[in-house]
Amino acid sequence: MGPFNMPWLTFSAFIVVDISVLIAIIWVVMDIRKHPENGGKNGEGQR
Amino acid sequence: MSLLAACVVVLILYLGVLVGIGIWSARRTSTAEDFILGGRKVGPWVTALSFIAVYFSSVLIIGGGGFGYKFGMATVWIGAINVLVGCTLCWIVLGRRVRLFTERMGVSTISGFFTKRYNSPEAGVFSALIIFIFLIIYNVSVVKGMAHSFEVLMGLPYWGGVLISGIVIIFYVVLGGYQAVVWTGLIQAWVMIFSLLLLTFRTLNVVGGLSEGMRKLAEIGPGYVNTPGVWGWAGLISFCLIVSLGVWGMPQLLIRFYSIKDAKTFRLGTVIVTVGAAVAVLPYLNGAFARILIPELQNADLAIPSLSRLVLSPWGAAILLAGVVAAGMSTFAGVLIIISSSLVRDVYINGLKKVMTGEQEILANRVISGSVGVIALLIALKPPALILVLTGFSWAVIASTNLWPLLFGLYWKGASRAGAFISMLAGTVTAIVWTWLGKPFGIHGFITGTAVSLIVIVVVSLVKRASYPEGHIEKIYGE
């Protein structure tokens, strides 16, 4: 049994939500490193 | 104060704000591009939150709560996969590419994307027609969700709920177009998030906390706390895929990527959409706990409205009603814009090669979005079947048509005109026929439709190689 009287498999759904936030943040950091000057390939999409 | 009076006050305030935004947006809408895409200058907060508002319609709150009530806590997985696949990965994989490609091609609708990317007017027109037909079905289910909430919380007749919500939406969409849709979406998302948090907080209080609630639920039946529980793996996984991966082919959500201000804003937008979408697990959780407090409900779709009547004060229930109505309105409105722009720009102007001035195009969009809204309302007055069944069906067909041609169009230069068009036809026909046959082996039409569409686009593109005019693909890929 996992936290809050939840079976681990059910509780894992909440962990997936946390992982999603982590993925979003990691992607942003990687993207800033990849394109430090702007957000788009070759600077396109900038207005 | 009575519940009815609180609902009336909250709704009048809320609907008044929406109408105000419609009038304000109308003044900022001077070109067809403004009406369809908000002039491609929408920021990350507005884009991300309106994405959430359109994605998580009243179908999520009402229907999701119904699923939680029927199948228990395993359904929180649907919300979790919505966040991971339907929001985070969708933004990362599709977002920026869709923005860049559509800008390079100068298109403003998903059907326009198919026309230009594959040099295939037939694919564009076919996609537009599928969007037109099946998004109306989807909108009917959205209105149904809103009307049910009016029914339970305010004691209004069903038709009254349909008319109140429908008329306000049509008013602000016809006036303000896309700008009205995204700005009202921003407010609607906040109302929705706040109301779901409020309901969850109160429900957990009443059942004695999360641990105690889980214990009580397990006493009713272990299947209500286990995963996959009483639903079973097949049902749970296929539904997670439909309402998460299916999003990748839904035009009313993809248009958020077209209209975002610039490619850089995707960074903040991706984080906002992920954090905001986390509330998607709450309707399922509340629906599951509703079984503890209201064990004998005849109609599972009434779980959330009934729960809110039980655990919230009149003001709280009124805010929840506003949240449900907000969720439904934003989706309904987003869909109206997509349908009208698909018909006017993709079918009439690009498909039939008719010429229109900017003013005529805005007028045509206004007339069509208004007419389609009225049609959806009329159908919703005598609605068929369960909310989520209808939604699942329309999503299955639209996703089977659009998903793979879009993804391959963005990532595989070898995806050919014949491959895309035949894939669309095969996916659509499979999804419809499979559903009509009664979902053999318990497999949803979305699974078979998208599987067939995937195989067809790969095989046909390999057999009948892509042959585009010189420089066509290079220009689209920005090389």
Side-chain angles (χ1 to χ4, degrees), chain A residues 4-7 9-10 12-14 16-17 20-21 23-25 27-28 31-32 35 38-42 44-47, chain B residues 76-77 80 83-84 88 92 96 100 103-104 210-211 214-215 225-227 233 261-264 267 270-271 274 278 478:
Chain A
F4 305 108
N5 287 333
M6 261 185 227
L9 200 50
T10 303
S12 305
F14 296 95
V16 166
V17 175
S20 304
V21 176
I23 290 173
I25 293 169
W27 177 76
V28 169
D31 194 62
I32 291 171
H35 304 292
N38 58 47
K41 192 181 174 187
N42 304 327
E44 279 182 270
Q46 302 291 307
R47 292 266 169 117
Chain B
V76 294
W77 269 103
V83 179
L84 177 63
T88 314
I92 291 174
R96 182 176 292 167
L100 292 173
E103 190 180 26
R104 287 175 198 146
L210 188 54
S211 300
M214 291 302 294
R215 194 190 60 73
V225 295
N226 291 330
T227 299
W233 283 116
K261 190 164 61 183
D262 54 43
K264 196 162 92 180
R267 290 175 186 155
T270 304
V271 176
T274 305

Tab-separated table of all heavy atoms in Angstrom, chain A residues 4-7 9-10 12-14 16-17 20-21 23-25 27-28 31-32 35 38-42 44-47, chain B residues 76-77 80 83-84 88 92 96 100 103-104 210-211 214-215 225-227 233 261-264 267 270-271 274 278 478:
chain	number	residue	atom	x	y	z
A	4	PHE	N	-1.304	7.626	1.696
A	4	PHE	CA	-2.740	7.977	1.762
A	4	PHE	C	-3.664	6.768	1.538
A	4	PHE	O	-4.731	6.906	0.930
A	4	PHE	CB	-3.078	9.064	0.733
A	4	PHE	CG	-2.239	10.295	0.856
A	4	PHE	CD1	-1.266	10.581	-0.093
A	4	PHE	CD2	-2.389	11.155	1.924
A	4	PHE	CE1	-0.469	11.701	0.016
A	4	PHE	CE2	-1.602	12.299	2.046
A	4	PHE	CZ	-0.634	12.579	1.088
A	5	ASN	N	-3.252	5.617	1.979
A	5	ASN	CA	-4.050	4.386	1.802
A	5	ASN	C	-4.318	4.068	0.338
A	5	ASN	O	-5.315	3.436	0.007
A	5	ASN	CB	-5.401	4.489	2.533
A	5	ASN	CG	-5.251	4.386	4.028
A	5	ASN	OD1	-4.304	3.769	4.511
A	5	ASN	ND2	-6.146	5.016	4.762
A	6	MET	N	-3.464	4.563	-0.523
A	6	MET	CA	-3.651	4.314	-1.964
A	6	MET	C	-2.745	3.176	-2.403
A	6	MET	O	-1.585	3.145	-1.999
A	6	MET	CB	-3.234	5.549	-2.770
A	6	MET	CG	-4.361	6.421	-3.185
A	6	MET	SD	-3.741	7.734	-4.252
A	6	MET	CE	-4.532	9.121	-3.510
A	7	PRO	N	-3.238	2.276	-3.232
A	7	PRO	CA	-2.326	1.301	-3.835
A	7	PRO	C	-1.272	2.054	-4.651
A	7	PRO	O	-1.576	3.103	-5.236
A	7	PRO	CB	-3.246	0.478	-4.744
A	7	PRO	CG	-4.627	0.727	-4.241
A	7	PRO	CD	-4.630	2.091	-3.648
A	9	LEU	N	0.019	1.636	-7.491
A	9	LEU	CA	-0.277	1.865	-8.908
A	9	LEU	C	-1.228	3.062	-9.086
A	9	LEU	O	-1.096	3.842	-10.027
A	9	LEU	CB	-0.885	0.601	-9.526
A	9	LEU	CG	-0.825	0.485	-11.040
A	9	LEU	CD1	0.567	0.755	-11.586
A	9	LEU	CD2	-1.300	-0.898	-11.492
A	10	THR	N	-2.148	3.221	-8.172
A	10	THR	CA	-3.055	4.371	-8.245
A	10	THR	C	-2.307	5.649	-7.884
A	10	THR	O	-2.446	6.676	-8.562
A	10	THR	CB	-4.254	4.168	-7.288
A	10	THR	OG1	-4.909	2.954	-7.634
A	10	THR	CG2	-5.242	5.316	-7.384
A	12	SER	N	0.727	6.267	-8.332
A	12	SER	CA	1.680	6.623	-9.397
A	12	SER	C	1.113	7.664	-10.361
A	12	SER	O	1.864	8.409	-10.997
A	12	SER	CB	2.070	5.385	-10.209
A	12	SER	OG	2.552	4.395	-9.365
A	13	ALA	N	-0.207	7.714	-10.483
A	13	ALA	CA	-0.814	8.708	-11.377
A	13	ALA	C	-0.414	10.112	-10.947
A	13	ALA	O	-0.131	10.983	-11.774
A	13	ALA	CB	-2.332	8.559	-11.369
A	14	PHE	N	-0.368	10.339	-9.624
A	14	PHE	CA	0.016	11.667	-9.116
A	14	PHE	C	1.503	11.931	-9.365
A	14	PHE	O	1.915	13.061	-9.607
A	14	PHE	CB	-0.331	11.781	-7.625
A	14	PHE	CG	-1.813	11.686	-7.372
A	14	PHE	CD1	-2.417	10.480	-7.039
A	14	PHE	CD2	-2.621	12.805	-7.505
A	14	PHE	CE1	-3.780	10.395	-6.841
A	14	PHE	CE2	-3.991	12.739	-7.295
A	14	PHE	CZ	-4.577	11.528	-6.968
A	16	VAL	N	3.086	10.836	-11.945
A	16	VAL	CA	3.176	11.169	-13.367
A	16	VAL	C	2.928	12.670	-13.600
A	16	VAL	O	3.586	13.301	-14.423
A	16	VAL	CB	2.178	10.312	-14.191
A	16	VAL	CG1	2.004	10.850	-15.604
A	16	VAL	CG2	2.658	8.872	-14.250
A	17	VAL	N	2.010	13.230	-12.824
A	17	VAL	CA	1.753	14.667	-12.952
A	17	VAL	C	3.005	15.460	-12.568
A	17	VAL	O	3.413	16.402	-13.266
A	17	VAL	CB	0.557	15.095	-12.065
A	17	VAL	CG1	0.363	16.601	-12.107
A	17	VAL	CG2	-0.716	14.402	-12.532
A	20	SER	N	5.605	15.257	-15.209
A	20	SER	CA	5.276	16.121	-16.359
A	20	SER	C	5.825	17.527	-16.141
A	20	SER	O	6.388	18.139	-17.054
A	20	SER	CB	3.761	16.207	-16.562
A	20	SER	OG	3.223	14.938	-16.705
A	21	VAL	N	5.657	18.035	-14.919
A	21	VAL	CA	6.166	19.383	-14.609
A	21	VAL	C	7.683	19.392	-14.765
A	21	VAL	O	8.269	20.313	-15.348
A	21	VAL	CB	5.753	19.813	-13.184
A	21	VAL	CG1	6.354	21.167	-12.839
A	21	VAL	CG2	4.242	19.857	-13.057
A	23	ILE	N	9.521	17.420	-16.639
A	23	ILE	CA	9.868	17.335	-18.070
A	23	ILE	C	9.773	18.714	-18.720
A	23	ILE	O	10.649	19.123	-19.491
A	23	ILE	CB	8.935	16.335	-18.798
A	23	ILE	CG1	9.250	14.904	-18.365
A	23	ILE	CG2	9.079	16.453	-20.326
A	23	ILE	CD1	8.279	13.870	-18.899
A	24	ALA	N	8.704	19.435	-18.377
A	24	ALA	CA	8.512	20.772	-18.968
A	24	ALA	C	9.671	21.687	-18.592
A	24	ALA	O	10.225	22.401	-19.453
A	24	ALA	CB	7.183	21.366	-18.497
A	25	ILE	N	10.076	21.645	-17.330
A	25	ILE	CA	11.161	22.529	-16.876
A	25	ILE	C	12.485	22.127	-17.535
A	25	ILE	O	13.241	22.980	-18.019
A	25	ILE	CB	11.271	22.502	-15.334
A	25	ILE	CG1	10.016	23.144	-14.722
A	25	ILE	CG2	12.522	23.229	-14.849
A	25	ILE	CD1	9.879	22.951	-13.232
A	27	TRP	N	12.903	20.627	-20.354
A	27	TRP	CA	12.846	20.999	-21.779
A	27	TRP	C	13.160	22.489	-21.968
A	27	TRP	O	13.900	22.865	-22.882
A	27	TRP	CB	11.472	20.675	-22.357
A	27	TRP	CG	11.337	21.095	-23.784
A	27	TRP	CD1	11.860	20.464	-24.880
A	27	TRP	CD2	10.672	22.273	-24.282
A	27	TRP	NE1	11.553	21.158	-26.022
A	27	TRP	CE2	10.828	22.277	-25.683
A	27	TRP	CE3	9.958	23.313	-23.684
A	27	TRP	CZ2	10.296	23.275	-26.502
A	27	TRP	CZ3	9.429	24.302	-24.487
A	27	TRP	CH2	9.597	24.288	-25.876
A	28	VAL	N	12.597	23.304	-21.095
A	28	VAL	CA	12.835	24.753	-21.190
A	28	VAL	C	14.328	25.057	-21.009
A	28	VAL	O	14.923	25.814	-21.791
A	28	VAL	CB	11.997	25.522	-20.143
A	28	VAL	CG1	12.435	26.970	-20.071
A	28	VAL	CG2	10.523	25.444	-20.482
A	31	ASP	N	16.215	23.994	-23.977
A	31	ASP	CA	15.908	24.859	-25.121
A	31	ASP	C	16.648	26.196	-25.028
A	31	ASP	O	17.130	26.719	-26.031
A	31	ASP	CB	14.395	25.100	-25.177
A	31	ASP	CG	13.971	25.688	-26.500
A	31	ASP	OD1	14.168	25.012	-27.530
A	31	ASP	OD2	13.475	26.826	-26.507
A	32	ILE	N	16.745	26.710	-23.805
A	32	ILE	CA	17.468	27.975	-23.618
A	32	ILE	C	18.944	27.775	-23.973
A	32	ILE	O	19.567	28.624	-24.608
A	32	ILE	CB	17.305	28.488	-22.166
A	32	ILE	CG1	15.868	28.938	-21.947
A	32	ILE	CG2	18.270	29.633	-21.878
A	32	ILE	CD1	15.517	29.253	-20.505
A	35	HIS	N	19.079	27.348	-27.936
A	35	HIS	CA	18.810	28.590	-28.673
A	35	HIS	C	18.880	29.766	-27.707
A	35	HIS	O	17.849	30.341	-27.354
A	35	HIS	CB	17.416	28.563	-29.307
A	35	HIS	CG	17.182	27.402	-30.202
A	35	HIS	ND1	17.823	27.232	-31.404
A	35	HIS	CD2	16.373	26.333	-30.067
A	35	HIS	CE1	17.416	26.103	-31.961
A	35	HIS	NE2	16.540	25.538	-31.170
A	38	ASN	N	17.267	33.240	-29.006
A	38	ASN	CA	15.817	33.362	-29.183
A	38	ASN	C	15.173	31.988	-29.056
A	38	ASN	O	15.829	31.024	-28.722
A	38	ASN	CB	15.483	33.974	-30.546
A	38	ASN	CG	16.049	33.152	-31.679
A	38	ASN	OD1	15.912	31.936	-31.689
A	38	ASN	ND2	16.728	33.795	-32.611
A	39	GLY	N	13.905	31.930	-29.344
A	39	GLY	CA	13.201	30.667	-29.184
A	39	GLY	C	13.044	29.872	-30.449
A	39	GLY	O	12.629	28.728	-30.427
A	40	GLY	N	13.363	30.423	-31.580
A	40	GLY	CA	13.059	29.726	-32.818
A	40	GLY	C	14.282	29.389	-33.629
A	40	GLY	O	15.298	30.051	-33.535
A	41	LYS	N	14.165	28.326	-34.408
A	41	LYS	CA	15.256	27.925	-35.278
A	41	LYS	C	15.545	29.061	-36.246
A	41	LYS	O	14.633	29.566	-36.900
A	41	LYS	CB	14.821	26.672	-36.046
A	41	LYS	CG	15.948	25.991	-36.769
A	41	LYS	CD	15.377	24.779	-37.515
A	41	LYS	CE	16.448	24.145	-38.363
A	41	LYS	NZ	15.898	23.096	-39.205
A	42	ASN	N	16.768	29.448	-36.343
A	42	ASN	CA	17.187	30.545	-37.208
A	42	ASN	C	16.481	31.860	-36.879
A	42	ASN	O	16.394	32.747	-37.714
A	42	ASN	CB	16.928	30.228	-38.690
A	42	ASN	CG	17.611	28.953	-39.098
A	42	ASN	OD1	18.690	28.626	-38.587
A	42	ASN	ND2	16.992	28.191	-39.986
A	44	GLU	N	13.385	32.395	-36.565
A	44	GLU	CA	12.072	32.604	-37.186
A	44	GLU	C	10.987	32.664	-36.120
A	44	GLU	O	11.149	32.187	-35.012
A	44	GLU	CB	11.751	31.448	-38.126
A	44	GLU	CG	12.418	31.598	-39.452
A	44	GLU	CD	12.016	30.452	-40.340
A	44	GLU	OE1	12.693	29.438	-40.333
A	44	GLU	OE2	11.014	30.601	-41.044
A	45	GLY	N	9.886	33.157	-36.525
A	45	GLY	CA	8.763	33.212	-35.610
A	45	GLY	C	8.850	34.379	-34.646
A	45	GLY	O	7.987	34.582	-33.828
A	46	GLN	N	9.918	35.137	-34.721
A	46	GLN	CA	10.028	36.281	-33.823
A	46	GLN	C	9.355	37.482	-34.472
A	46	GLN	O	9.476	37.705	-35.654
A	46	GLN	CB	11.515	36.607	-33.592
A	46	GLN	CG	12.294	35.440	-33.018
A	46	GLN	CD	11.873	35.138	-31.600
A	46	GLN	OE1	11.877	36.033	-30.779
A	46	GLN	NE2	11.501	33.919	-31.318
A	47	ARG	N	8.651	38.176	-33.679
A	47	ARG	CA	8.026	39.393	-34.197
A	47	ARG	C	8.519	40.572	-33.404
A	47	ARG	O	8.662	40.456	-32.204
A	47	ARG	CB	6.518	39.305	-34.043
A	47	ARG	CG	5.907	38.259	-34.929
A	47	ARG	CD	5.451	38.878	-36.210
A	47	ARG	NE	5.086	37.860	-37.171
A	47	ARG	CZ	3.876	37.704	-37.670
A	47	ARG	NH1	2.920	38.474	-37.302
A	47	ARG	NH2	3.623	36.803	-38.582
B	76	VAL	N	-8.077	8.543	-12.078
B	76	VAL	CA	-7.166	9.698	-11.983
B	76	VAL	C	-6.026	9.548	-12.993
B	76	VAL	O	-5.385	10.527	-13.371
B	76	VAL	CB	-6.577	9.913	-10.554
B	76	VAL	CG1	-7.649	10.292	-9.567
B	76	VAL	CG2	-5.796	8.711	-10.085
B	77	TRP	N	-5.814	8.321	-13.437
B	77	TRP	CA	-4.809	8.098	-14.493
B	77	TRP	C	-5.173	8.856	-15.771
B	77	TRP	O	-4.299	9.281	-16.515
B	77	TRP	CB	-4.667	6.599	-14.794
B	77	TRP	CG	-3.609	5.956	-13.952
B	77	TRP	CD1	-3.794	5.178	-12.849
B	77	TRP	CD2	-2.191	6.064	-14.132
B	77	TRP	NE1	-2.586	4.803	-12.329
B	77	TRP	CE2	-1.582	5.323	-13.099
B	77	TRP	CE3	-1.365	6.710	-15.060
B	77	TRP	CZ2	-0.200	5.213	-12.964
B	77	TRP	CZ3	0.010	6.598	-14.924
B	77	TRP	CH2	0.577	5.865	-13.893
B	80	ALA	N	-3.937	12.258	-15.274
B	80	ALA	CA	-2.471	12.298	-15.290
B	80	ALA	C	-1.926	12.192	-16.720
B	80	ALA	O	-1.003	12.930	-17.108
B	80	ALA	CB	-1.914	11.163	-14.437
B	83	VAL	N	-2.305	15.355	-18.625
B	83	VAL	CA	-1.263	16.343	-18.347
B	83	VAL	C	0.005	16.010	-19.134
B	83	VAL	O	0.547	16.854	-19.855
B	83	VAL	CB	-0.940	16.394	-16.827
B	83	VAL	CG1	0.158	17.420	-16.559
B	83	VAL	CG2	-2.176	16.753	-16.024
B	84	LEU	N	0.452	14.749	-19.016
B	84	LEU	CA	1.736	14.373	-19.622
B	84	LEU	C	1.668	14.388	-21.157
B	84	LEU	O	2.468	15.052	-21.820
B	84	LEU	CB	2.151	12.975	-19.132
B	84	LEU	CG	3.442	12.424	-19.738
B	84	LEU	CD1	4.637	13.287	-19.368
B	84	LEU	CD2	3.695	10.983	-19.279
B	88	THR	N	1.921	18.510	-21.832
B	88	THR	CA	3.378	18.711	-21.860
B	88	THR	C	3.991	18.231	-23.183
B	88	THR	O	4.648	19.011	-23.895
B	88	THR	CB	4.041	17.957	-20.686
B	88	THR	OG1	3.299	18.214	-19.510
B	88	THR	CG2	5.476	18.411	-20.509
B	92	ILE	N	5.594	20.281	-26.446
B	92	ILE	CA	7.008	20.126	-26.793
B	92	ILE	C	7.156	19.603	-28.234
B	92	ILE	O	7.951	20.117	-29.015
B	92	ILE	CB	7.708	19.179	-25.791
B	92	ILE	CG1	7.810	19.863	-24.418
B	92	ILE	CG2	9.094	18.777	-26.284
B	92	ILE	CD1	8.343	18.976	-23.303
B	96	ARG	N	6.057	24.310	-31.232
B	96	ARG	CA	6.897	25.251	-31.980
B	96	ARG	C	6.927	24.932	-33.473
B	96	ARG	O	6.907	25.805	-34.307
B	96	ARG	CB	8.307	25.235	-31.412
B	96	ARG	CG	9.205	26.225	-32.109
B	96	ARG	CD	10.558	26.267	-31.485
B	96	ARG	NE	10.503	26.828	-30.143
B	96	ARG	CZ	11.496	26.754	-29.277
B	96	ARG	NH1	12.594	26.132	-29.587
B	96	ARG	NH2	11.379	27.310	-28.090
B	100	LEU	N	6.043	27.473	-36.484
B	100	LEU	CA	6.994	27.849	-37.535
B	100	LEU	C	6.500	27.449	-38.921
B	100	LEU	O	6.566	28.224	-39.875
B	100	LEU	CB	8.363	27.202	-37.267
B	100	LEU	CG	9.124	27.720	-36.036
B	100	LEU	CD1	10.376	26.889	-35.799
B	100	LEU	CD2	9.499	29.187	-36.210
B	103	GLU	N	3.555	29.537	-40.173
B	103	GLU	CA	3.967	30.897	-40.531
B	103	GLU	C	4.673	30.893	-41.896
B	103	GLU	O	4.406	31.736	-42.740
B	103	GLU	CB	4.885	31.476	-39.464
B	103	GLU	CG	5.140	32.961	-39.688
B	103	GLU	CD	6.057	33.560	-38.635
B	103	GLU	OE1	6.861	32.821	-38.053
B	103	GLU	OE2	5.969	34.772	-38.416
B	104	ARG	N	5.539	29.913	-42.081
B	104	ARG	CA	6.250	29.836	-43.373
B	104	ARG	C	5.279	29.590	-44.533
B	104	ARG	O	5.458	30.094	-45.628
B	104	ARG	CB	7.266	28.693	-43.339
B	104	ARG	CG	8.483	28.984	-42.498
B	104	ARG	CD	9.348	27.741	-42.434
B	104	ARG	NE	10.282	27.822	-41.335
B	104	ARG	CZ	10.696	26.786	-40.612
B	104	ARG	NH1	10.247	25.566	-40.881
B	104	ARG	NH2	11.552	26.951	-39.647
B	210	LEU	N	-7.759	12.695	2.695
B	210	LEU	CA	-7.486	11.784	1.568
B	210	LEU	C	-7.364	10.334	2.040
B	210	LEU	O	-7.982	9.424	1.462
B	210	LEU	CB	-6.203	12.248	0.851
B	210	LEU	CG	-5.844	11.543	-0.455
B	210	LEU	CD1	-6.990	11.591	-1.448
B	210	LEU	CD2	-4.600	12.181	-1.072
B	211	SER	N	-6.588	10.112	3.101
B	211	SER	CA	-6.374	8.736	3.587
B	211	SER	C	-7.697	8.112	4.045
B	211	SER	O	-8.010	6.969	3.697
B	211	SER	CB	-5.394	8.736	4.751
B	211	SER	OG	-4.174	9.272	4.347
B	214	MET	N	-9.927	7.317	1.115
B	214	MET	CA	-9.494	6.103	0.413
B	214	MET	C	-9.918	4.852	1.190
B	214	MET	O	-10.320	3.851	0.607
B	214	MET	CB	-7.962	6.112	0.236
B	214	MET	CG	-7.450	7.156	-0.733
B	214	MET	SD	-8.128	7.009	-2.396
B	214	MET	CE	-7.436	5.457	-2.911
B	215	ARG	N	-9.818	4.942	2.524
B	215	ARG	CA	-10.206	3.786	3.346
B	215	ARG	C	-11.710	3.496	3.186
B	215	ARG	O	-12.114	2.355	2.990
B	215	ARG	CB	-9.867	4.072	4.813
B	215	ARG	CG	-9.896	2.851	5.729
B	215	ARG	CD	-9.786	3.248	7.185
B	215	ARG	NE	-10.869	4.131	7.645
B	215	ARG	CZ	-12.120	3.736	7.861
B	215	ARG	NH1	-12.455	2.488	7.663
B	215	ARG	NH2	-13.037	4.605	8.264
B	225	VAL	N	-10.559	1.581	-5.517
B	225	VAL	CA	-9.285	2.240	-5.196
B	225	VAL	C	-8.121	1.663	-5.999
B	225	VAL	O	-7.084	2.300	-6.151
B	225	VAL	CB	-8.936	2.163	-3.685
B	225	VAL	CG1	-9.934	2.920	-2.858
B	225	VAL	CG2	-8.819	0.734	-3.217
B	226	ASN	N	-8.284	0.450	-6.513
B	226	ASN	CA	-7.191	-0.180	-7.260
B	226	ASN	C	-7.124	0.327	-8.690
B	226	ASN	O	-8.086	0.854	-9.225
B	226	ASN	CB	-7.387	-1.702	-7.305
B	226	ASN	CG	-7.179	-2.319	-5.938
B	226	ASN	OD1	-6.406	-1.791	-5.138
B	226	ASN	ND2	-7.884	-3.396	-5.655
B	227	THR	N	-5.967	0.120	-9.311
B	227	THR	CA	-5.812	0.381	-10.746
B	227	THR	C	-5.498	-0.945	-11.430
B	227	THR	O	-4.625	-1.660	-10.951
B	227	THR	CB	-4.645	1.358	-10.989
B	227	THR	OG1	-4.926	2.595	-10.341
B	227	THR	CG2	-4.430	1.609	-12.472
B	233	TRP	N	-7.985	-2.953	-17.687
B	233	TRP	CA	-6.900	-2.279	-18.417
B	233	TRP	C	-7.330	-1.772	-19.786
B	233	TRP	O	-6.980	-0.662	-20.194
B	233	TRP	CB	-5.699	-3.220	-18.589
B	233	TRP	CG	-4.887	-3.355	-17.339
B	233	TRP	CD1	-4.702	-4.482	-16.588
B	233	TRP	CD2	-4.140	-2.312	-16.686
B	233	TRP	NE1	-3.906	-4.211	-15.503
B	233	TRP	CE2	-3.540	-2.893	-15.535
B	233	TRP	CE3	-3.929	-0.961	-16.938
B	233	TRP	CZ2	-2.742	-2.162	-14.660
B	233	TRP	CZ3	-3.131	-0.236	-16.071
B	233	TRP	CH2	-2.547	-0.833	-14.941
B	261	LYS	N	2.463	34.333	-29.944
B	261	LYS	CA	3.177	35.527	-30.414
B	261	LYS	C	4.471	35.212	-31.142
B	261	LYS	O	4.740	35.720	-32.221
B	261	LYS	CB	3.444	36.442	-29.211
B	261	LYS	CG	3.951	37.804	-29.589
B	261	LYS	CD	3.828	38.769	-28.425
B	261	LYS	CE	4.630	38.327	-27.227
B	261	LYS	NZ	4.470	39.220	-26.075
B	262	ASP	N	5.324	34.419	-30.526
B	262	ASP	CA	6.572	34.043	-31.190
B	262	ASP	C	7.045	32.712	-30.619
B	262	ASP	O	6.503	32.210	-29.642
B	262	ASP	CB	7.649	35.125	-31.016
B	262	ASP	CG	7.884	35.474	-29.569
B	262	ASP	OD1	7.944	34.538	-28.753
B	262	ASP	OD2	7.983	36.675	-29.249
B	263	ALA	N	8.069	32.155	-31.263
B	263	ALA	CA	8.509	30.813	-30.884
B	263	ALA	C	9.045	30.777	-29.449
B	263	ALA	O	8.956	29.766	-28.768
B	263	ALA	CB	9.580	30.334	-31.862
B	264	LYS	N	9.590	31.890	-28.972
B	264	LYS	CA	10.189	31.929	-27.636
B	264	LYS	C	9.150	31.728	-26.532
B	264	LYS	O	9.448	31.147	-25.497
B	264	LYS	CB	10.888	33.284	-27.447
B	264	LYS	CG	11.855	33.296	-26.283
B	264	LYS	CD	12.814	34.457	-26.385
B	264	LYS	CE	12.302	35.673	-25.659
B	264	LYS	NZ	13.243	36.809	-25.776
B	267	ARG	N	8.355	28.450	-24.366
B	267	ARG	CA	9.018	27.984	-23.146
B	267	ARG	C	8.123	28.190	-21.931
B	267	ARG	O	7.782	27.242	-21.229
B	267	ARG	CB	10.325	28.749	-22.945
B	267	ARG	CG	11.385	28.399	-23.941
B	267	ARG	CD	12.592	29.300	-23.737
B	267	ARG	NE	13.579	29.097	-24.771
B	267	ARG	CZ	14.457	30.023	-25.136
B	267	ARG	NH1	14.446	31.208	-24.571
B	267	ARG	NH2	15.342	29.766	-26.069
B	270	THR	N	4.767	26.246	-22.083
B	270	THR	CA	4.804	24.812	-21.802
B	270	THR	C	4.753	24.545	-20.293
B	270	THR	O	4.067	23.630	-19.837
B	270	THR	CB	6.086	24.185	-22.407
B	270	THR	OG1	6.099	24.478	-23.793
B	270	THR	CG2	6.116	22.683	-22.206
B	271	VAL	N	5.441	25.370	-19.534
B	271	VAL	CA	5.418	25.191	-18.073
B	271	VAL	C	4.034	25.563	-17.519
B	271	VAL	O	3.455	24.831	-16.709
B	271	VAL	CB	6.526	26.048	-17.397
B	271	VAL	CG1	6.431	25.936	-15.883
B	271	VAL	CG2	7.899	25.600	-17.874
B	274	THR	N	1.417	22.913	-18.267
B	274	THR	CA	1.600	21.672	-17.495
B	274	THR	C	1.111	21.851	-16.058
B	274	THR	O	0.376	21.009	-15.532
B	274	THR	CB	3.093	21.271	-17.481
B	274	THR	OG1	3.546	21.173	-18.827
B	274	THR	CG2	3.292	19.944	-16.790
B	278	ALA	N	-2.667	20.330	-14.207
B	278	ALA	CA	-2.652	19.344	-13.122
B	278	ALA	C	-4.026	19.187	-12.456
B	278	ALA	O	-4.321	18.149	-11.873
B	278	ALA	CB	-1.603	19.730	-12.082
B	478	GLY	N	12.229	25.253	-43.740
B	478	GLY	CA	13.105	26.367	-43.406
B	478	GLY	C	14.566	26.117	-43.728
B	478	GLY	O	15.453	26.545	-42.993
